[in-house]
């Protein structure tokens, strides 16, 4: 491809027919204008009769066809140009195959033609518009279907199969995946191919085995390959459609359904994909499941019957229900389950998931009128309560479901009355709306206000229809309302602009506000102002975009002054605002207004956006002395206007205007405070235009010129211009990289994707590179020179050029010159420039050139230590960025390093370059160690002694008063080299090791050097067992020695990591116990438990280590009193570490400690330990499974899986837990394990009662966690002193009105208090009689009966219903605790453990009273369930 593109310009003809020039160069592209002309006149170009087409004419047609394909294939053309090429190509082929001339038909049906168009579709669809790409696909289908040569058709079908399936399976060409799926989908749907051919193309399994089994295996494999791509948003929908088409075409399904039990072919792969990538669950919900369930009734029933319904109700997500569950039973049970997930204590994730599923069930008419949750009103109560939820999408989904529910299922109206039908229930929204308005007025919360609006619209189904009339009176009323709303929005702006229009609004309080009177702080004023503007702007956005708001849905009924006032108000806000949080909402409103105006048929309205554009240009000049880093709202004004004209002449004129302002000469100010820089605003506006994806098509042709402007700005003297030019350049570089950010990969692949095209597409980029790399030269000198004021300016230019190189590589043109310019910056006196240059060069060097580059850059001479340091950085990146190599490769590098060792290490006085040289040396030694190469150990013995001398002299220099800069880095590098040189001796003891000598040497140095010695240890901690024997004593020596806290923390972390790796391996664990004696363990444990509570890093590491050491001591002496005391201290540490208010690092350390404790123990050891010894550990593990952070939950799930697989007495439970469980499943199974294992434990009874009632842990009820050594009778004495909290006090606290403006977020958003209470209630139900403490049981019954009486009295005197007194989370949860406790009391009475009391009578009274007072449905359902069991 030549540098300049020759464009074929076919001359216009005066006649309607177009004659094609006979000579077309093979490299020519056809101009877009000519392509459009040809598309309209294709029938005139091709012969229409049966006459013979001559050779010359046929060659001209062939050249024209090749021109269409070549133009379509070219990467650099614009999308409109490619669309024109696609249209011309498809028109030519589709006209050609119906031509009466056989030569033309043969040309279009030719195999080579089809193959080229197929390749074009696969490789260029992703950069073309969807509609023309679809047209190419349909043309391919027509060519294949109508081709008379069936052998050719068969061959092309095989080509499609092999190429498309390879793309989907190999996962290397992501941009080709979507078109590959599309062509397979349409071929399957049109019966051009069927699934059996796909199965034959991809044979799996044993060909001599069962044929049907092989087909099934192959089919499942193909399903997995397709499902892999659902994790990508742009491919998910296509993969779902292909999967349905494939399975519909797979004719072997019938025979498979004879299997018992039958599981759909796609069920297994689908579960596997969700298990491996759980983040794809939403894509599966939207794009996979609906199509699969509609595919086949048998598959749908088999899949639904396989869902764990009964277990899900009980919180158990493992196992399957009986096979004979009918679909209606499933829907009823599942709807009740989803309704329970809408209760107040459930997390946001459970709320939104349940709502989305319910919405889907209603939309497919699966939610019938006979469902219990619908007839009882429980669902409606929950949905209405959620209308005031803090989360916007929860409120929206709840309102949406209420609107689409079939009207015959309920009776909702705003006035008092009775139900019209006996089978329906009545919801009176008047009272509910009144409650909601009261809550809103008392708090002023935005979510409450939003809920009130949604309630009002639900109560008035024809709310919008009142405006949809052409009646003059109605229209006048609507216009009055419209004007009033705009006046309100303008008034809001007048109130808040004094706060939000300041350059530092966070430091301003309105002077006319009595702060003490309103308790109004600076943040409150800012928050109120921002929220008020956001709500007003959102209202304006709805007014301008919602067709249902306007009369008869017509925007033309909106008058000019409304658009002018609304858009003008948004304009003023963007022109003056300084609060970035307000920009997003206001900018959307302004853009929507511009789009609406530009599309108006009223010419006066249509001209408004261009008027606002002229006003924006005026603002750019008028506010040229009012500078902010991003020009405040001015860029949003430009992008808002351009949103209405995303391409075309006006768009181009706007860009040209901004470019002209950006290139204006800078005026010399008389005073620096009067600097006038409209260029800053213009540059920021350009930046936002190029980063706006909606404007991408129109801005594409302006990138090259804007690149030149951005680079020119970097040469300016003013920082403001330089900075804005740099931001514009980075925005443009992001466009060059296809929307990605700065490349982060350490491999060459990050720039190879675009290097092939970017320099062809932007020919001026090479000159820009030369300007960026040339320009101001760096200043040579030592590191101690004063900083050059131009260095930061220079760095911006160099860094920008390097980002281009990282994205696109070095261009072939001027390759040597550009590389030399880059290399010259290795001599820069600025460290970070040298490092960035070295990284870039290391990234783009070819693998076969690396050794030669290392040799070249190690050679003398170099001009300064800076230059030498830059060379070494480059060598380091060359080695690190390369592929893995064998021992021979690293031995060659080592030989090169040894050759210069004396000059560059021993005789070198610069600590920085010595340190870097030794780092490279150590890295090569480490690589050789990984390759198990010991051939160089003898030749390095001489250098080892020299390194020891250098080590000692460095330490002496550090202790001296005149230590050189970088001496600590040199000591770290020396430590690494000495360690690796000594690693070949595997028989030495710790006292004889290099590590021991270095530890002794650095005792009196600073913390940096102490930690330096330890930093070399992790690199080899997994290499061999002997290293553990050295590292453990070393770390213990540091922990117990006179070292800095930072050093001890580092040593403790290494010890924790080492113990964790050993603890997971039983052989290593035995080895650990063999050389870590009991005396050492006791000393270390005492030391660790004494340091906890101080430095957080040291405490966390100590907590991790403590778990391993306690497990080891437990294995030796499980009943020793000292062991139990230490275990008690450790469990108290766990208790505070796992508190939800603790930092994440504390909770992770506590979870790691429990994991280490469990994995070091063996099953036989556990079985001999008293139950009290590990019950507290298992209970804490349950807490970790409900932690707010996913990482903590996953760690706990791994530990629980280990426990269940190694310690469970149930073989089925152990076998099912060998695969790591998800946290919820792990919690369910661990709960069952605890219940079975400790069913006779009184301590478990105490703890379960505490958690059921919701009591905070007190000293008396901490017995379970602390493993106190007192007797059971003594424990009961403590328990007898307990007093349960008064229910009336708890109820008053729960019903207390919260008037805070914002909802206070809970510390733990994951845990569900109701599910927790139900879990402990189940545990209590399963305990044996020997575990029940009767004194505590009677106290629990008294508390329960008191609570039931209070609930009955409140139900008798107060009507509940939606948003009633049971809606508040604390109140709802208190009632559920009382009801669960009542269920336990009734069970104990039924087992004759306690005598009968008043519990049953109170439950009946609560049910009877609750039905009459519309008490919460979940309360009543639970009470009814208890009474039904009796």
């Amino acid at each position: 491809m030549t540098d300049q593109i020759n464009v074929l310009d076919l001359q216009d003809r005066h006649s309607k027919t177009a004659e094609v020039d006979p000579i077309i160069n093979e490299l020519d592209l056809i101009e877009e204008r000519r392509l459009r002309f040809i598309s309209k006149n294709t029938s005139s170009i091709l012969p229409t009769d049966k006459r013979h087409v001559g050779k010359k004419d046929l060659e001209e047609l062939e050249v024209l066809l090749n021109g269409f394909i070549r133009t379509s294939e070219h990467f650099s053309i614009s999308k409109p140009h490619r669309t024109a090429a696609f249209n011309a190509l498809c028109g030519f082929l589709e006209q050609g195959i119906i031509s009466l001339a056989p030569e033309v038909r043969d040309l279009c049906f030719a195999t080579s033609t089809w193959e080229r168009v197929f390749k074009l579709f696969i490789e260029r669809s992703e950069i073309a518009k969807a509609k023309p790409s679809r047209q190419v696909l349909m043309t391919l289908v027509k060519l294949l279907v109508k081709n008379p040569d069936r052998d050719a058709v068969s061959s092309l079908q095989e080509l499609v199969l092999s190429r498309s399936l390879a793309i989907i399976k190999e996962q290397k060409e992501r941009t080709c995946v979507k078109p590959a799926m599309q062509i397979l989908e349409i071929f399957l749907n049109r019966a051009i191919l069927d699934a059996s051919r796909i199965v034959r193309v991809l044979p799996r399994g044993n060909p001599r085995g069962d044929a049907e089994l092989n087909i099934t295996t192959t089919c499942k494999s193909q399903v997995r390959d397709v499902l892999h791509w659902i994790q990508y948003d742009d491919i998910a929908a296509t993969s779902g459609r292909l999967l349905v088409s494939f399975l519909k075409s797979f004719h072997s399904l019938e025979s498979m359904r004879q299997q018992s039990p039958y599981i759909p072919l796609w069920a297994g792969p689908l579960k596997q994909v969700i298990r491996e990538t759980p983040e794809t669950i939403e894509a599966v919900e939207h794009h996979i499941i609906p199509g699969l369930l509609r595919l086949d009734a048998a598959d749908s029933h088999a899949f639904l019957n396989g869902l764990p319904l009964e277990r899900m109700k009980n919180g158990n997500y493992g196992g399957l229900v009986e096979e004979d569950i009918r679909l209606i039973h499933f829907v009823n049970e599942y709807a009740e389950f989803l309704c329970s997930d809408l209760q107040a204590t459930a997390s946001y994730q459970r709320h939104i998931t349940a709502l989305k599923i319910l919405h889907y069930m209603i939309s497919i008419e699966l939610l019938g009128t006979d469902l219990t949750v619908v007839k009882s009103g429980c669902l409606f109560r929950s949905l209405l309560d959620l209308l005031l939820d803090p989360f916007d999408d929860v409120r929206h989904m709840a309102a949406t479901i209420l609107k689409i529910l079939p009207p015959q299922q309920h009776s909702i109206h705003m006035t008092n009355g009775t139900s019209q039908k006996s089978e329906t229930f009545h919801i009176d929204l008047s009272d509910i709306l009144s409650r909601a308005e009261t809550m809103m007025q008392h708090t002023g919360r935005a979510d409450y206000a939003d809920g009130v609006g949604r309630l009002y619209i639900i109560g008035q189904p024809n709310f919008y229809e009142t405006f949809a009339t052409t009646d003059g009176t109605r229209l006048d009323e609507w216009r009055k309302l419209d004007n009033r709303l705009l006046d309100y929005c303008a008034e809001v702006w007048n109130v808040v602009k004094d706060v939000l229009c300041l350059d530092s609004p966070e430091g301003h309080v309105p002077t006319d506000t009595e702060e003490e009177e309103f308790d109004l702080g600076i943040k409150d004023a800012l928050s109120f102002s921002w929220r008020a503007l956001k709500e007003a702007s959102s209202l304006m956005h709805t007014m301008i975009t919602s067709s249902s708001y306007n009369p008869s849905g017509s925007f033309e009924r909106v008058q000019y002054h409304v658009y002018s006032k609304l858009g003008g108000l948004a304009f003023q806000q963007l022109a003056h605002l300084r609060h970035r949080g307000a920009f997003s909402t206001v900018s959307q409103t302004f853009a929507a207004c511009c789009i609406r105006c530009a599309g108006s048929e009223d010419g006066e309205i249509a001209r408004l956006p261009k008027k606002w554009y002229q006003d924006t240009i005026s603002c750019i000049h008028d506010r040229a002395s009012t500078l902010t880093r991003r020009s405040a709202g001015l860029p949003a004004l430009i992008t808002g206007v351009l949103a209405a004209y995303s391409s075309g002449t006006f768009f181009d004129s706007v860009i040209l205007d901004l470019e002209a302002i950006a290139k204006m000469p800078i005026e010399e100010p008389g005073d620096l405070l009067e600097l006038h820089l409209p260029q800053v605003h213009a540059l920021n506006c350009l930046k936002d235009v190029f980063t706006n994806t909606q404007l991408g098509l129109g801005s594409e042709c302006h990138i090259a010129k804007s690149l030149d402007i951005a680079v020119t700005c970097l040469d300016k003297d003013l920082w403001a211009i330089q900075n804005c030019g740099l931001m514009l350049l980075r925005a443009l570089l992001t466009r060059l990289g296809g929307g990605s950010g700065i490349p982060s990969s350490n491999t060459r692949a990050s720039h190879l994707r675009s290097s092939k095209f970017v320099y062809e597409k932007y020919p001026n980029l090479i000159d820009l590179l030369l300007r960026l790399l040339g320009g101001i030269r760096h200043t040579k000198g030592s590191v101690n020179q004063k900083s050059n004021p131009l260095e930061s300016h220079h760095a911006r230019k160099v860094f920008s050029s390097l980002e281009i190189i990282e994205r696109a590589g070095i261009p072939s043109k001027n390759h040597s010159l550009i590389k030399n310019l880059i290399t010259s910056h290795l001599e820069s006196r600025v460290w970070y420039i040298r490092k960035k240059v070295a990284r870039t060069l290391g990234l783009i060097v070819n693998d076969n050139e690396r050794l030669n580059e290392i040799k070249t850059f190690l050679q003398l001479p170099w001009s300064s230590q800076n230059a030498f340091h830059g060379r070494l950085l480059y060598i380091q990146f060359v080695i690190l960025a390369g592929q893995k190599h064998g021992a021979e490769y690293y031995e060659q590098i080592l030989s090169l390093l040894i050759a210069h060792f004396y000059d560059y290490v021993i005789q070198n006085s610069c600590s920085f370059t010595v340190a870097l040289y030794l780092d490279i040396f150590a890295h090569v030694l480490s690589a050789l160690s990984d390759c198990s190469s010991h051939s160089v150990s003898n030749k390095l013995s001489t250098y080892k002694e020299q390194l020891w001398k250098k080590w000692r002299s460095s330490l002496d220099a550090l202790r001296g008063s005149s230590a050189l800069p970088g001496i600590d880095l040199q000591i770290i590098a020396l430590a690494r080299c000495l360690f690796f040189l000594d690693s070949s001796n595997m028989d030495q003891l710790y006292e004889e090791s290099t590590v021991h000598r270095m530890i002794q040497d650095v005792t009196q140095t600073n913390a940096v050097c102490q930690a330096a010695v330890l930093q070399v240890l992790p690199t080899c901690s997994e290499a061999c067992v002997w290293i553990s024997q050295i590292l453990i004593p070393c770390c213990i020596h540091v922990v117990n020695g006179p070292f800095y806290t930072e050093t001890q923390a580092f040593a403790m972390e290494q010890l924790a990591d080492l113990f964790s790796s050993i603890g997971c391996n039983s052989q290593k664990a035995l080895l650990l116990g063999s050389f870590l004696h009991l005396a050492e363990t006791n000393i270390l444990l005492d030391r660790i438990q004494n340091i906890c509570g101080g430095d957080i890093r040291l405490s966390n590491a100590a907590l991790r280590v403590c778990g391993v050491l306690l497990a080891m001591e437990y294995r030796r002496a499980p009943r020793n009193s000292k062991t139990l005391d230490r275990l008690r201290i450790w469990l108290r540490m766990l208790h505070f570490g796992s508190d939800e208010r603790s930092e994440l690092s504390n909770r992770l350390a506590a979870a790691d400690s429990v994991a280490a404790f469990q994995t070091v123990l063996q099953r036989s050891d556990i079985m001999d330990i008293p139950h009290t010894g590990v019950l507290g550990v298992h209970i804490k593990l349950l807490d970790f499974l409900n932690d707010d952070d996913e990482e903590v939950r996953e760690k706990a799930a791994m530990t629980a899986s280990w426990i269940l697989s190694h310690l469970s007495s149930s073989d089925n439970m152990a076998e099912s837990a060998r695969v790591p469980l998800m946290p919820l499943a792990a919690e369910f199974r661990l709960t069952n394990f605890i219940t079975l294992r400790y069913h006779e434990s009184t301590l478990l009874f105490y703890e379960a009662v505490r958690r059921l009632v919701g009591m905070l842990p007190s000293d008396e009820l901490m017995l379970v966690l602390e493993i106190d050594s007192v007797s059971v009778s003594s424990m009961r004495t403590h328990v007898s002193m307990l007093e349960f909290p008064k229910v009336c006090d708890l109820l008053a606290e729960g019903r207390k009105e919260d008037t805070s403006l914002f909802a206070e977020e809970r510390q733990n958003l994951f845990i569900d208090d109701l599910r927790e209470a139900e879990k402990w209630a189940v545990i209590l139900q399963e305990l044996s009689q020997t575990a029940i403490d009767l004194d505590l049981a009677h106290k629990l019954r008294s508390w329960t009966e008191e609570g039931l009486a209070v609930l009955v009295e409140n139900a008798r005197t107060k009507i509940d219903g939606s948003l009633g007194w049971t809606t508040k989370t604390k109140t709802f949860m208190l009632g559920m605790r009382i009801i669960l406790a009542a269920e336990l009391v009734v069970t104990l009475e039924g087992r004759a453990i306690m005598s009968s009391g008043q519990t049953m009578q109170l439950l009946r009274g609560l049910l009877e009273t609750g039905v009459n007072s519309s008490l919460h449905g979940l309360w009543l359902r639970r009470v009814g369930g208890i009474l039904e069991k009796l």
Side-chain angles (χ1 to χ4, degrees), residues 216-253:
T216 305
T217 305
T218 306
C219 189
K220 288 182 178 179
S221 176
Q222 182 62 25
V223 171
R224 278 194 299 271
D225 292 342
V226 175
L227 285 173
H228 164 80
W229 294 101
I230 63 173
Q231 59 188 299
Y232 302 102
D233 294 339
D234 56 333
I235 305 177
T238 307
S239 63
R241 292 195 300 270
L242 173 59
L243 185 60
V244 171
S245 300
F246 172 73
L247 293 171
K248 183 184 289 186
S249 177
F250 196 66
H251 300 302
S252 302
L253 290 176

Side-chain angles (χ1 to χ4, degrees), residues 1361-1406:
S1362 296
L1363 303 182
W1365 63 276
T1366 64
T1367 300
K1368 293 183 180 295
T1369 303
K1370 289 183 178 180
T1371 304
F1372 171 79
M1373 194 59 223
L1374 174 63
M1376 290 302 297
R1377 291 186 189 279
I1378 294 171
I1379 294 169
L1380 290 170
E1383 185 175 11
L1384 173 64
V1385 169
V1386 170
T1387 301
L1388 294 178
E1389 291 175 351
R1391 292 166 57 184
I1393 297 176
M1394 291 194 303
S1395 59
S1396 299
Q1398 301 297 315
T1399 305
M1400 286 295 300
Q1401 181 179 348
L1402 289 168
L1403 283 172
R1404 292 190 181 96
L1406 180 61

Side-chain angles (χ1 to χ4, degrees), residues 1230-1332:
L1230 184 62
T1231 301
N1232 286 345
F1233 170 78
I1234 291 173
T1235 305
L1236 293 172
R1237 182 72 184 278
Y1238 305 105
H1239 66 280
E1240 296 182 349
S1241 172
T1242 303
L1243 293 176
L1244 179 57
F1245 176 74
Y1246 292 153
E1247 181 67 8
V1249 168
R1250 180 186 74 80
R1251 294 184 180 235
L1252 170 62
V1253 174
M1255 297 170 62
L1256 294 175
S1258 61
D1259 291 338
E1260 291 80 6
L1261 287 179
M1262 280 291 292
L1263 298 172
V1264 152
L1265 298 177
E1266 297 182 7
I1267 316 299
D1268 208 333
S1269 57
V1270 298
S1271 63
V1272 173
S1273 60
S1274 178
M1275 293 179 191
R1276 288 174 176 167
T1277 301
H1278 287 296
V1279 171
S1280 65
M1281 300 169 61
L1282 285 178
E1283 291 295 334
F1284 282 72
K1286 296 287 186 181
V1287 175
C1288 55
D1289 295 339
L1290 294 175
L1291 186 60
E1293 176 69 22
R1295 294 179 60 182
K1296 186 182 298 182
E1297 187 174 3
D1298 181 11
T1299 59
S1300 58
L1301 178 63
F1302 300 104
E1304 183 178 353
E1305 193 172 72
R1306 295 197 313 170
Q1307 202 73 32
N1308 187 340
L1309 295 177
F1310 177 81
I1311 194 170
D1312 182 345
D1313 292 335
L1314 176 57
R1315 190 164 57 86
E1316 279 294 289
E1318 290 174 335
K1319 176 178 71 180
W1320 292 103
V1322 170
I1323 291 176
L1324 287 167
Q1325 298 272 3
E1326 300 296 327
L1327 292 180
S1328 66
Q1329 185 169 346
T1330 56
I1332 307 299

